Amino acid sequence: MASASPEIQQRATQLRQQLQKASYAYYVLDEPIMEDAVYDRLYRELEELETQYPELIVPDSPTQRVGDIPADKFISVRHNIPLYSLENAFNLAEFTKWQERWQRHLASIPDNFEYVCELKIDGSALALTYENGLLVRGVTRGNGVTGEDITQNIRTIQTIPLRLNLDNPPARVEVRGEAFLPIDIFEKINQARATAGEALFANPRNAAAGTLRQLDPKIVSERKLAFFAYTLYIADAEKSQPDNLQVPGISSDEFFNPTTQWESLELLQEMGFKVNPHRQVFQSLEAVADYYNSWDNARQNLPYLTDGVVVKLNSHELKEKLGFTQKFPRWAIALKYPAEEAPTQVENITVNVGRTGAVTPLALLQPVELAGTTVQRATLHNKDFIEQLDVRIGDTVIIRKAGEIIPEIVRVLPELRPENSQTFQMPHNCPECNQPLVKPENEAATRCINASCPAILRGSLVHWASRDALDIRGLGEKIVRQLVEANLVNSVADLYDLTVEQIASLERMGTKSAQKLVNAIAESKKQPYSRVLYGLGIRYVGKVNAELLANYFTTIAQLAQAQTANLAAINGIGSEIAQAVSEWFQIPANQTLIERLQAADLQLAKSSDRETSRQTQSLAGKTFVVTGTLPNLKRAEAEDLIKQAGGKISSSVSSKTDYLVVGENPGSKLEKAQKLKITQLSEAELRKMIE
């Protein structure tokens, strides 16, 4: 086996130092410097390097310990049973490999083995000890072997019973679970902290951890932590020492002996603990995969945060046979959802010219999985942003998903920066047309002001064809580039003059595909006036503002002649947008574009069709909430239909809600609607109301 190069040795050293620093900040200082997902990725990178080059393994590597040092503000105690962390799988392929691994450790595999799936709560793990039914000790996870005794704080959590709900409890019971903050409580805490001028918690998990370690139990009580129990150990009745707790099961004939994880969860609930209601038992990997996939979107409607699914073998007998590795139980795994943040390295920095002429720097990255997709680039916004971050080629950076746009870099890890790195300099000329770039004094963006720049034209065409604008299916970036390079299109109006023969002449475009695109372009003529306004790409005019303008100025001619003051007087428009709209219509080229679009028969006025008018009134004065996955419509499409029919959209259920439109996996909104006796509608029933 080849030895590690000096560069790889340096990388491993840097990773060890950074992970140790992050662990100290998290466990000892209570001041996290890194998201869990980022820590997991860097940990995985170090683990892979040590696997490939065993000589890199040193005794103090984070991979060679179960956990990290607990804080010393509370009394440190030894756990009766070690709190092992779970191995992580970041996709279904890794989950499949885990099954193959545990099965290799058995002489024979039972035909009827089962998996118990539980949502992985994003909180803080606790170990609770009960003696003769009374809570006597509560300990944080710490490093898995020792933790902090925070019994007084734990006693304030309403979902943790002070006495087990049993007539004849065993002598000693050990319960494991997760303390967490519900999202609404977390938001109230942060609002109060903001009012008091205090630093905000980064997320509910950090807030829960910080709450548990408060020295004053009254503060813990005020913050209303919750708790889900998920593991049960019961001591052998004939042995009294905590170290003799069995894993799991009991030998007492006077007490129910759970033989499965599911029975343990049921017993925990009988004892008085809250157990997550979404747990399920499955007999196959495929069923587990369906469960995992179904909660990927549905978890957004839960009143607490979950970042994955914990999968455990149901049989306690199988668990005992499999045992543990040095760090993990072989019989359980955490199947995590794609991270919202991830570390990667910057391979290069380039620039992109958008439809408004803004020149945006882009970081070209080592490919990394983020929120279910492979990310290879991230926006750097502008020159000031680059200087503020001090991001350089070769840097290890943290990228974050921001909606459905290109992921952005949120911070740099300078400890992992290579030697002799250089700062990035913005170009002086446009990379597309070579014309000089300008940076207006009142703007952060650098711009190309050449109206004939091919990049600006391409961006305008892609925007025009986008889903929220004219929604021209099949007209993507590749086809747009070909049309521009072939000089077939020089404005959006040229799209409506294209012929099947012209499109078919493009590379990899046959007659059938060309005909589909021509049909899609023709179909876009039916899109409403507000979408056309949005598609024009007027600066600052987004989808919502386009609808406002279309409602106040019902024809494009009225809008073109509107005074700036009249535009600014519209609630939601304002002076900046008004000025941009007025200036756009004063440009001769734009006036010509409107004339050509009128000639092409696009909708440049609000429809006065009686049927449309009737539909517009059918939901007037009613408030709707949409939840779950609908069979045919995306949520945004359903909300558009409701608004077009005169209805109002709300993001949350309240007494003012008239209807709840329900799809699959509706979550907590359905429960609240049922309590308030709000009428529920299926997608079909909604369509019927509109029609």
Side-chain angles (χ1 to χ4, degrees), residues 50-242:
E50 291 178 348
T51 300
Q52 188 173 357
Y53 304 102
E55 72 270 21
L56 296 178
I57 299 175
V58 294
D60 64 345
S61 172
T63 64
Q64 301 303 298
R65 65 205 308 180
V66 174
D68 294 282
I69 303 171
D72 58 1
K73 295 178 183 178
F74 292 85
I75 297 174
S76 182
V77 296
R78 187 177 183 84
H79 287 296
N80 295 330
I81 306 169
L83 268 76
Y84 285 82
S85 58
L86 293 179
E87 182 180 0
N88 291 324
F90 291 96
N91 52 57
L92 292 170
E94 292 184 359
F95 176 69
T96 303
K97 291 179 181 178
W98 166 75
Q99 176 176 272
E100 294 170 355
R101 285 198 300 275
W102 73 254
Q103 290 183 346
R104 285 198 297 268
H105 281 83
L106 296 177
S108 62
I109 303 169
D111 295 330
N112 58 345
F113 69 85
E114 296 176 325
Y115 288 124
V116 173
C117 290
E118 305 166 57
L119 295 181
K120 185 177 181 296
I121 308 303
D122 200 7
S124 292
L126 297 178
L128 312 176
T129 302
Y130 288 80
E131 292 183 356
N132 297 315
L134 293 176
L135 175 66
V136 297
R137 193 175 79 161
V139 184
T140 64
R141 181 183 182 277
N143 65 4
V145 177
T146 60
E148 297 167 323
D149 188 330
I150 57 168
T151 307
Q152 286 300 105
N153 288 349
I154 285 175
R155 290 173 67 87
T156 69
I157 301 175
Q158 295 290 335
T159 46
I160 294 179
L162 300 181
R163 179 189 290 270
L164 298 179
N165 185 30
L166 296 172
D167 293 333
N168 298 299
R172 184 176 294 108
V173 173
E174 183 96 0
V175 175
R176 303 289 166 78
E178 201 84 3
F180 63 95
L181 270 179
I183 295 173
D184 59 341
I185 300 297
F186 165 74
E187 291 173 347
K188 290 177 182 177
I189 291 172
N190 261 355
Q191 288 172 2
R193 292 175 73 86
T195 302
E198 299 174 347
L200 303 185
F201 286 117
N203 51 53
R205 179 186 52 75
N206 287 347
T211 298
L212 287 169
R213 300 184 73 256
Q214 289 288 326
L215 296 177
D216 184 357
K218 292 181 180 179
I219 297 177
V220 184
S221 178
E222 291 169 356
R223 291 186 180 173
K224 299 179 181 177
L225 285 165
F227 180 81
F228 279 134
Y230 52 66
T231 302
L232 172 64
Y233 300 127
I234 303 174
D236 191 316
E238 298 177 357
K239 300 175 182 178
S240 59
Q241 297 301 317

Side-chain angles (χ1 to χ4, degrees), residues 37-53:
V38 174
Y39 185 98
D40 290 341
R41 296 275 184 164
L42 294 178
Y43 185 98
R44 177 74 66 89
E45 181 181 350
L46 177 60
E47 199 173 42
E48 290 173 352
L49 288 177
E50 291 178 348
T51 300
Q52 188 173 357
Y53 304 102

Side-chain angles (χ1 to χ4, degrees), residues 528-544:
Y529 170 41
S530 61
R531 283 187 172 231
V532 176
L533 281 184
Y534 173 63
L536 291 173
I538 302 171
R539 197 169 182 198
Y540 305 128
V541 177
K543 183 181 176 183
V544 174

Side-chain angles (χ1 to χ4, degrees), residues 351-420:
V351 295
N352 178 65
V353 183
R355 63 181 177 85
T356 64
V359 179
T360 305
L362 289 174
L364 305 184
L365 310 167
Q366 283 187 358
V368 62
E369 287 294 317
L370 181 67
T373 59
T374 300
V375 175
Q376 293 181 279
R377 62 179 187 172
T379 180
L380 291 171
H381 299 294
N382 52 56
K383 179 175 179 289
D384 295 340
F385 184 81
I386 291 179
E387 292 176 352
Q388 181 182 353
L389 274 183
D390 188 26
V391 59
R392 308 180 188 183
I393 296 172
D395 273 347
T396 298
V397 297
I398 307 303
I399 59 173
R400 177 177 62 199
K401 178 186 178 184
E404 296 181 355
I405 63 173
I406 298 173
E408 64 179 359
I409 292 176
V410 293
R411 61 185 181 278
V412 176
L413 301 180
E415 299 88 348
L416 304 181
R417 173 171 287 163
E419 297 179 2
N420 303 320

